[in-house]
Amino acid sequence: MPAHYALSDAAIVLVTIFAGNALWRNGRHLPAFAMACFGVAAFIGVVRFGAGLQDALAALHAGTSQLLGLAGAVAILSSYLFRPADRHIISIIALILCAATAIFLLAQPLLGPVFLLALVIMLFASVARPGPLARSWLIPAGCALMLADTLFIRRAAWLDEAVAWHVYHVLIALALAALAKGLMSTERGAH
């Protein structure tokens, strides 16, 4: 795979850096953790393709993307449904990472379905319980975009492999930006 594959992973890294920082500064620590999960997985992709280590980092990139993608999706869902107090954040992050690791190591066939289920629950919850500000539509839009992207673009036979790769990652970056902006809007409106 050529080095240009690193470009769309870099888009995810940039979005997660800016979105994660903004979420953290706004007291939204669990979604900031979710951004870090997606960002770390994408950063490994940037290094993998940018440094010409396609084969050497293939397993690490795939495994990290699956594990941290699941942890990130569950963290976003948890932050939206439960709005945990800051004093519980470390425990919740540890629980999410342990659950994602257990699924990754012991029940890999469940990785995809649990990831999709977290997105579906988040989509329905955000529609049923919209945030108080006008930008709350960004949360269901981000979930729907990531869900459609995962189901229809990730391994699309009707797209060239490189095009599918880049479109998939750019849409993830857009979905994460929408989720971050929507989550910051709902939190500010809740105070």
Side-chain angles (χ1 to χ4, degrees), residues 71-177:
V74 171
I76 290 172
L77 173 64
S78 298
S79 74
Y80 188 78
L81 290 181
F82 306 117
R83 305 195 199 244
D86 281 341
R87 66 180 184 273
H88 300 296
I89 293 298
I90 297 298
S91 300
I92 292 168
I93 288 172
L95 182 63
I96 289 170
L97 286 173
C98 286
T101 301
I103 291 171
F104 180 77
L105 294 175
L106 304 173
Q108 262 204 348
L110 294 177
L111 273 168
V114 173
F115 177 80
L116 293 173
L117 182 62
L119 291 175
V120 168
I121 292 170
M122 180 81 173
L123 175 63
F124 285 121
S126 63
V127 169
R129 191 178 71 176
L133 297 180
R135 287 182 286 194
S136 64
W137 65 271
L138 289 168
I139 296 170
C143 290
L145 183 59
M146 193 174 290
L147 191 59
D149 189 31
T150 302
L151 293 173
F152 303 116
I153 302 295
R154 184 168 178 256
R155 299 208 189 269
W158 50 276
L159 288 173
D160 174 71
E161 181 184 7
V163 172
W165 178 275
H166 292 305
V167 170
Y168 175 68
H169 286 104
V170 167
L171 291 178
I172 287 174
L174 290 172
L176 291 172

Side-chain angles (χ1 to χ4, degrees), residues 30-46:
L30 204 49
F33 163 75
M35 293 297 149
C37 288
F38 286 103
V40 167
F43 180 74
I44 292 171
V46 169

Side-chain angles (χ1 to χ4, degrees), residues 1-58:
M1 298 175 112
H4 70 81
Y5 278 69
L7 294 174
S8 55
D9 268 324
I12 296 171
V13 172
L14 290 174
V15 165
T16 57
I17 287 171
F18 289 109
N21 187 37
L23 287 161
W24 186 268
R25 283 193 329 253
N26 281 285
R28 302 289 288 149
H29 300 121
L30 204 49
F33 163 75
M35 293 297 149
C37 288
F38 286 103
V40 167
F43 180 74
I44 292 171
V46 169
V47 172
R48 175 185 175 199
F49 298 112
L53 299 170
Q54 287 84 347
D55 294 334
L57 295 181

